[in-house]
Structures are given as structure tokens and as C-alpha cells.
Amino acid sequence: MIIEPKIIGRVCLTAHPLGMKKALEEQIEYVREAGKFVMPGRVLVLGGSAGYGLGTRISAAFGGDAGTINISLEREPTGKKPASPGWYSSKYFDEAARKEGLIAESLNADAFTHETRLAVIEKIRELFGQVDLVVYSLASPVRKDPDSGETYKSVLKPLGKTYTAKSVDFVRGRVDEVSIEAATAEEEAGTVKVMGGEDWTLWISGLLEADVLAKGAKSIAYSYIGPELTYAIYRAGTIGSAKENLERSASALDSMIKSIGGEAFVSVNKALVTRASSVIPVVPLYISLLYKIMKEKGIHENCVEQMYRMLRTKVYGPSGTLRDENGLVHMDDWEMRRDVQDLIGARWDKIDDDNLKSLADIGGFREDFMRLHGFNWPGVDYSADVNPMG
Ligand code: NAD
């Protein structure tokens, strides 16, 4: 079949297998060129099919020679419909890693269930005995509580009052304004249930109890803080409440995992185009401004570049894990530099339809968005028939 991008709002419903293969190969190539580093060899990634989780998995495998198990939830292909992007990434990752002689297994399953956790524990016992690193990189709009059976939704809304701000329609390349009503208390609580630390805690306590965490094992979950410019919708919004909850869980988990000499912590990552971040209002305009400035200054990184630097220098570097006084690892160090943020602030007030292309990297945003669905890759003939099964 011919597979074309089908974009509705800020969501692309299709993915191109050949482009997804290119995307994976490019990330592996980056890690190969960046070079090997030493880290323990058995890794579990929750949410390893896309974005930050995939970047971590590729860095651990091709940089640190680690065997990896990935749990992600992706739409499978049918003869008539392509899969979601992460389904192809996991398939091609497992093939490429195995070719390299590495253990690589992907489970397409809902990580929020007890059944999945039990299946993963069995898989760890079968393949590794124990794991040395657990990466928690899930981003989901819904979660069914595994005990009560109740389904919770995560929303991206401000708290307290309606928030009106500039935004961008990145598909059409136009600056517009969005107004988002404040979340209800129930919506805030739902977002914390989905994106907070409850599920991460269930995972770590379950793995500890089953004795599948190796001595000295580490666990990392990902968060975002960002500048004041995006506070109302991010850090001081519903998702921010969830992230604060995740960060508080890290302290509790850190104490719990000390029993085996391990540690649990949160890494605050940079704002980047992923399927999860494209749907957050206001954030695409911020990311477009950020990309432009970080590229101009030669300090732009994508997911795999961030996660390679994190593992090599901030988690398994010569001084061990580099955490701040709040226990956080900072991969947002370059994003939050004063010179970068001052420029974003100055440009934010001026940005309009006419100067969007010169002040912001809207083309770069759109290109990343297309490419993470396998489109716009040079060397792929998009007019040719392709097997959606990959
Ligand atoms: P993403 O959309 O690229 O990836 C999300 C992953 O979660 C995918 O592998 C998906 O399959 C998996 N997933 C979702 N629901 C699942 C379920 N029920 N069971 C199993 N797997 C499931 O997202 P991302 O942007 O890489 O986000 C990952 C983490 O990084 C999140 O915690 C996010 O808040 C954080 N983060 C993102 C950014 C950013 O700008 N993108 C910045 C800082 C931190």
C-alpha cells in the first residue's frame, strides 16, 4: 500500500515503515560514532519504543553494550493499516541489536497492569536473572488503576484560572492564540494518577519483591520543569502536579532501593518534539524558539543525544550519578542557560506570522514531527508500494 501522512490537529495517524527504519538507523549511527562507554549490561525500559525511552534504549545497547527489554504500548499493523510509529521502532531495534549479538526483547503490552509486571518479571528471570537499570519513560493519556479497575485521564490544563497565550499551528505555520480553561480538581487528580509516581512505585516495589533488581541497581524516571514562560500550562498546570508527584516518589523509592545499594531518581530532560509533547498547547511555539536558539549556539540535542550524554556523563560517569541538592539529574542544563532563556523571552513577545520563520525554527519542529512518524526521510520513495507489516 501507499502510506501517506494523515494529520488531524496535532496528531499524525499514520507511520511509514521505511522511514521509521531510517530514523532508527540514524540514531544508532549517532551512538556508534559517539563511542562506547562502560555501564552495567542488563536494562529494562518502560516506554522504550519512542522519544526519550527509545533514545535511552539505543544509547544503552549500542553505547553501553547492554541487553534490553522494552515494554511499550503500540498499535499493531494490519494488512491494510500501518502500525503506530513505535511498533516499527521496537521491531527494527530488536533486529538491529540482535544482529550485534545483544539480547533485545520487546513486549507490546499495557505497563499499567499487574499482569504485564508479572510477565516482565518472568522475562527478566529468563533472559537476565536480574536487571541493573530500570528506565521509566511512559507518557500516556489514560491509565486504568490495576486494583480498582477505574480509568483515569491525564489532561493538559492550567490550574486556578483560564490561561490565554500565544501558540503555533505547526502544521500550517501560523501563530495563533489559545485559551485553556482551568482544570477541575478531579482532572488534576486524574493527571497525577496517570503521569505521577504511583505506577513507577508499583514497578520498583514489585521488582524488588521478586528479587529481580541486581545489587546497586538504578532506576530513572523523566520529568520536565522548563521556564516561567510555559509554567502556566506545564509546571504550574496539571502535568506539573503529576511531575511533582513523580519527583516526590523518587525520594521514597530512593530510600526503598537503598536496601540493595541502589538508587532511584528523576532526570529533568530538555523540551523536544515527541508524540507526547506535540499535543501540549503553547509548548510547540516554545520548542520552535528553543530549537532556533540552541541550533544557532551549537548546543541543540535530540532525544538520543540527550540520553547518550545522560548515561555516559551523568549516570555512569567517573563520579557516579550527578544529582543536584533536590536529588535531580539535569539534562535541561543547556536549555535553561540564561543566554538561551533571555533570547527566547525577547523573541516570544515579538513573534507573529511574518517573523515566525526567522525567529523560530518552525520548519525544524515540523520536520522532526514528520520524521518521528517516518515521513520526509531522504532516500525513501513515498510513492512506492510498501508492506505495512514492516
Ligand atoms: P513518547 O510519546 O515519545 O513515548 C511514550 C512511550 O510510552 C512510548 O514508548 C509508548 O509506547 C509508551 N506507553 C504509553 N502508554 C503505555 C502503556 N499503557 N503501557 C506501555 N507503554 C506505554 O513520550 P516522551 O516525550 O519520550 O516522554 C517520555 C517521558 O519523558 C515522559 O515522562 C515525559 O513527561 C518525559 N519528558 C518529555 C519531554 C519532551 O519534551 N518530550 C521533556 C522532558 C521529559
Side-chain angles (χ1 to χ4, degrees):
M1 66 185 288
I2 311 282
I3 302 177
E4 290 176 332
K6 197 168 164 192
I7 300 171
I8 297 180
R10 288 165 292 186
V11 177
C12 179
L13 301 175
T14 49
H16 200 283
L18 300 181
M20 291 312 299
K21 193 152 197 246
K22 286 244 176 203
L24 185 85
E25 283 165 0
E26 188 179 79
Q27 294 177 81
I28 293 176
E29 199 42 43
Y30 167 77
V31 173
R32 282 215 171 98
E33 276 181 19
K36 297 273 185 198
F37 59 91
V38 177
M39 66 171 278
R42 302 165 298 179
V43 178
L44 169 65
V45 186
L46 299 157
S49 63
Y52 274 117
L54 178 62
T56 320
R57 192 181 188 205
I58 294 171
S59 302
F62 292 90
D65 285 332
T68 54
I69 300 174
N70 155 47
I71 319 305
S72 43
L73 190 59
E74 300 290 343
R75 190 187 65 233
E76 297 195 3
T78 65
K80 289 187 196 139
K81 217 174 156 194
S84 57
W87 187 88
Y88 296 114
S89 303
S90 298
K91 176 181 192 286
Y92 298 141
F93 176 95
D94 290 350
E95 287 170 8
R98 285 177 192 154
K99 227 177 181 178
E100 207 87 346
L102 299 168
I103 292 177
E105 193 91 24
S106 290
L107 263 75
N108 195 19
D110 182 358
F112 297 139
T113 68
H114 291 312
E115 291 73 23
T116 298
R117 197 158 31 255
L118 292 176
V120 170
I121 288 169
E122 278 320 302
K123 209 23 107 189
I124 293 174
R125 288 193 176 124
E126 176 196 327
L127 296 176
F128 297 135
Q130 291 183 317
V131 285
D132 309 286
L133 172 65
V134 179
V135 175
Y136 190 86
S137 188
L138 301 180
S140 173
V142 285
R143 172 172 170 239
K144 191 171 174 184
D145 184 298
D147 294 315
S148 70
E150 203 170 321
T151 298
Y152 294 89
K153 280 190 185 149
S154 145
V155 301
L156 297 156
K157 289 189 176 181
L159 295 175
K161 58 177 194 261
T162 301
Y163 172 62
T164 304
K166 276 185 186 173
S167 192
V168 72
D169 177 337
F170 64 83
V171 180
R172 290 184 186 78
R174 272 199 225 119
V175 178
D176 49 21
E177 201 177 72
V178 285
S179 221
I180 311 148
E181 261 183 42
T184 62
E186 199 185 346
E187 285 175 322
E188 183 188 7
T191 309
V192 172
K193 262 290 210 189
V194 181
M195 290 296 286
E198 190 176 275
D199 181 60
W200 183 28
T201 304
L202 284 173
W203 270 96
I204 297 306
S205 36
L207 298 174
L208 256 180
E209 206 173 296
D211 196 24
V212 292
L213 290 183
K215 204 163 163 268
K218 301 191 192 211
S219 184
I220 320 174
Y222 298 139
S223 186
Y224 182 69
I225 298 175
E228 253 173 64
L229 213 53
T230 59
Y231 266 19
I233 190 65
Y234 200 95
R235 194 62 191 192
T238 48
I239 184 72
S241 298
K243 290 302 185 188
E244 275 166 21
N245 179 279
L246 182 85
E247 289 156 26
R248 276 196 302 277
S249 305
S251 325
L253 289 176
D254 201 30
S255 308
M256 193 195 285
I257 205 174
K258 274 209 172 74
S259 61
I260 55 158
E263 56 173 337
F265 54 91
V266 161
S267 170
V268 182
N269 297 343
K270 172 194 177 188
L272 275 174
V273 183
T274 64
R275 296 185 89 208
S277 67
S278 329
V279 295
I280 308 177
V282 184
V283 166
L285 181 57
Y286 170 74
I287 292 183
S288 306
L289 285 159
L290 180 73
Y291 270 30
K292 177 90 178 175
I293 292 159
M294 291 188 84
K295 284 179 185 175
E296 279 168 6
K297 290 181 182 287
I299 51 170
H300 174 70
E301 293 171 303
N302 60 25
C303 285
V304 73
E305 289 166 339
Q306 277 254 300
M307 295 298 92
Y308 178 88
R309 179 163 71 95
M310 180 192 76
L311 289 179
R312 183 168 191 162
T313 69
K314 301 213 182 198
V315 175
Y316 295 111
S319 317
T321 311
L322 300 180
R323 292 158 68 168
D324 73 0
E325 62 284 4
N326 299 316
L328 302 169
V329 167
H330 281 280
M331 294 311 302
D332 61 346
D333 44 358
W334 298 350
E335 167 181 359
M336 296 310 290
R337 260 171 41 177
R338 172 61 68 84
D339 58 328
V340 172
Q341 288 302 325
D342 281 354
L343 260 177
I344 294 182
R347 291 183 184 182
W348 184 273
D349 293 332
K350 286 192 224 143
I351 200 105
D352 58 26
D353 278 351
D354 297 331
N355 59 25
L356 182 62
K357 279 196 187 129
S358 58
L359 293 186
D361 187 19
I362 191 70
F365 188 106
R366 200 181 302 120
E367 185 76 353
D368 277 10
F369 180 80
M370 296 304 285
R371 285 188 170 204
L372 64 92
H373 294 89
F375 298 107
N376 285 17
W377 283 94
V380 175
D381 180 359
Y382 290 100
S383 63
D385 240 345
V386 59
N387 182 355
M389 303 309 283

